[in-house]
């Protein structure tokens, strides 16, 4: 049974919920300001442990190390799974029957170019991601960029856009400009901020000088097994 969060202080406000539902992302500035140093120290000790089961993912412009289930790998990260601020976000967006859908740690030395997240998540089942970037990032140093409104994944705008997804060269073939010049919105962050992202919102990062440290936590609405 899920731990429900009844304290209104931990719920997103109506306007925050509307912002997220409309644009497909939400920045919560400094929500974890008091905790982020401890989170970053625990993150580093997992990411630099050679027995962390990390997977190296190849990107055209650099590498990405992804460590699955990072919250379970350090005592000083486990508490995030039941933190009322986290659960308040999940509950506000998904409802009381939210399901925890794992965590990961990433060291990114790559650009991720435009894509939506679909892995192990049927399009019709709402999935959200909470991103903690552990270094200050802006548009010039690899901050996440989003295309607001692409969370409406059945919309013809999103459909047209996705003809070029995933491959920078293909974006150029389809739209005639470099992928990083397409109209997206950078979301600059400082350690302690949390970005809440709908999996379907088209997102990317460019110009990362890396490695950028990213902790992800995922939640979904109940649905069929995703295997
Ligand atoms: O490049 C980034 O920072 C975003 C990572 C990403 O695309 C993802 O985790 O889905």
């Amino acid at each position: 049974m899920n731990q429900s969060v009844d304290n209104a202080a931990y719920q997103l406000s109506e306007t925050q919920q509307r912002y997220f539902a409309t644009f497909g992302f939400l920045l919560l500035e400094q929500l974890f300001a008091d905790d982020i140093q401890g989170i970053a120290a625990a993150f580093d000790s997992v990411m630099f442990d050679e027995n962390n089961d990390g997977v190296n993912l190849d990107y055209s412009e650099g590498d990405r190390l992804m460590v699955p289930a990072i919250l379970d790998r350090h005592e000083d990260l486990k508490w995030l799974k039941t933190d009322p601020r986290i659960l308040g976000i999940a509950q506000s967006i998904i409802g009381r029957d939210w399901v925890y859908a794992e965590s990961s740690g990433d060291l990114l030395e790559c650009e991720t170019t435009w894509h939506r997240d679909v892995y192990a998540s049927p399009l019709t089942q709402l999935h959200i991601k909470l991103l903690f970037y552990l270094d200050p990032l802006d548009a010039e140093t690899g901050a996440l960029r989003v295309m607001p409104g692409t969370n409406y994944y059945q919309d013809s705008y999103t459909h047209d856009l996705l003809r070029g997804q995933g491959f920078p060269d293909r974006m150029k073939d389809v739209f005639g400009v470099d992928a990083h010049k397409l109209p997206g919105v950078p979301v600059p962050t400082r350690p302690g901020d949390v970005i809440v992202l709908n999996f379907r919102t088209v997102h990317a990062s460019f110009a990362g000088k890396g490695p950028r440290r990213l902790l992800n936590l995922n939640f979904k609405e109940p649905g069929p097994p995703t295997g």
Side-chain angles (χ1 to χ4, degrees), residues 120-209:
S121 65
L123 279 183
T124 51
Q125 187 182 9
L126 175 63
H127 281 65
I128 63 168
K129 174 180 279 212
L130 276 55
L131 303 102
F132 293 70
Y133 285 97
L134 303 178
D135 304 286
L137 293 173
D138 59 27
E140 278 69 52
T141 55
L144 187 77
R145 297 188 201 194
V146 296
M147 291 190 170
T150 46
N151 47 306
Y152 292 95
Y153 63 89
Q154 287 162 312
D155 199 278
S156 53
Y157 163 66
T158 307
H159 183 258
D160 286 352
L161 177 66
L162 288 173
R163 285 184 299 181
Q165 84 162 326
F167 306 96
D169 292 347
R170 190 150 155 221
M171 278 293 192
K172 186 149 191 181
D173 289 346
V174 174
F175 296 112
V177 296
D178 289 336
H180 70 272
K181 292 199 172 145
L182 287 173
V185 176
V187 189
T189 49
R190 290 178 292 150
D193 294 350
V194 182
I195 301 173
V196 191
L197 187 71
N198 184 319
F199 265 40
R200 312 311 169 201
T201 305
V202 176
H203 59 283
S205 60
F206 295 98
K209 290 276 186 289

Side-chain angles (χ1 to χ4, degrees), residues 64 108 112 115 117 129 133 144 203-205 212 214 216:
R64 175 176 187 171
L108 297 126
T112 52
H115 66 285
D117 290 347
K129 174 180 279 212
Y133 285 97
L144 187 77
H203 59 283
S205 60
R212 309 182 315 278
L214 168 62
N216 281 308

